[in-house]
Amino acid sequence: MILIISISEKLEIVLKREGITKKELSERLGVSQPNISKKFKYNDWRESDVKKICNAIGIESETIFKLKDGTIV
């Protein structure tokens, strides 16, 4: 069984574990809170957005693709 969660769901987990609110995240990124909320609602993330968020909260991110045969790209 493969569990797939959205980027928004992953970011929600990260923020909760790091004790950061969406308001605080928007302040750290210098963007409006409604803009951040919209991105979470519609799961509208670019890789560059995720990298900026990680930089803003001091964590790392990694993007991998795992093929059906187990190969990681």
Side-chain angles (χ1 to χ4, degrees):
M1 180 177 172
I2 297 174
L3 176 65
I4 299 174
I5 63 173
S6 71
I7 298 296
S8 288
E9 290 170 317
K10 290 179 183 183
L11 289 171
E12 293 269 5
I13 292 166
V14 166
L15 292 177
K16 185 171 184 169
R17 295 213 36 200
E18 294 295 316
I20 299 170
T21 64
K22 289 179 188 170
K23 179 181 179 185
E24 185 178 349
L25 177 63
S26 67
E27 290 169 356
R28 290 185 186 197
L29 295 173
V31 298
S32 70
Q33 188 175 354
N35 185 16
I36 289 292
S37 294
K38 182 179 172 185
K39 287 186 162 289
F40 272 93
K41 181 178 180 178
Y42 295 106
N43 195 41
D44 182 24
W45 303 102
R46 293 186 174 104
E47 189 172 352
S48 61
D49 295 329
V50 174
K51 287 182 180 185
K52 286 177 187 174
I53 290 170
C54 290
N55 287 335
I57 62 178
I59 63 170
E60 296 180 21
S61 69
E62 194 175 281
T63 302
I64 63 166
F65 297 93
K66 189 170 184 181
L67 304 180
K68 293 176 185 174
D69 67 0
T71 303
I72 294 175
V73 178

